[in-house]
Amino acid sequence: MSVARRPLLTATAAGSLLCALWFVPSANATDGKPQSSPAHSTAAAKGTQGDLALADTGTVDTSPYLFGGTLFLGVGAGFVAFSVRRARQRY
């Protein structure tokens, strides 16, 4: 395989991954009941119904996200450092 084709393959793989992630459904909070009319959804959005409390779970624990983000950032920086070191050894 030619060295000139590696960036093209990398870009194709990254583009394919992004396209695949585009179709991952988002997490939208619902009350589990089918919405019957636009007036019902407007009332729920304004909070006029007393028993409807969507996503009222208290504080958000962000520590797993911070830990995971830091871990992936460190792994990515390690890959970049390894690639730079390997490229300098070659020349």
Side-chain angles (χ1 to χ4, degrees):
M1 178 176 282
S2 173
V3 177
R5 290 188 185 182
R6 285 187 186 161
L8 180 63
L9 290 175
T10 303
T12 303
S16 299
L17 180 64
L18 287 175
C19 287
L21 289 176
W22 179 274
F23 293 104
V24 174
S26 62
N28 295 325
T30 61
D31 61 351
K33 300 174 191 171
Q35 303 261 333
S36 60
S37 67
H40 175 68
S41 62
T42 305
K46 290 182 180 178
T48 57
Q49 288 181 324
D51 63 340
L52 185 63
L54 299 178
D56 188 17
T57 59
T59 61
V60 178
D61 184 21
T62 59
S63 56
Y65 301 104
L66 291 173
F67 177 73
T70 304
L71 178 71
F72 279 112
L73 185 65
V75 169
F79 279 135
V80 168
F82 176 73
S83 298
V84 168
R85 184 175 151 245
R86 192 169 170 195
R88 286 184 182 168
Q89 286 178 352
R90 202 177 288 172
Y91 296 110

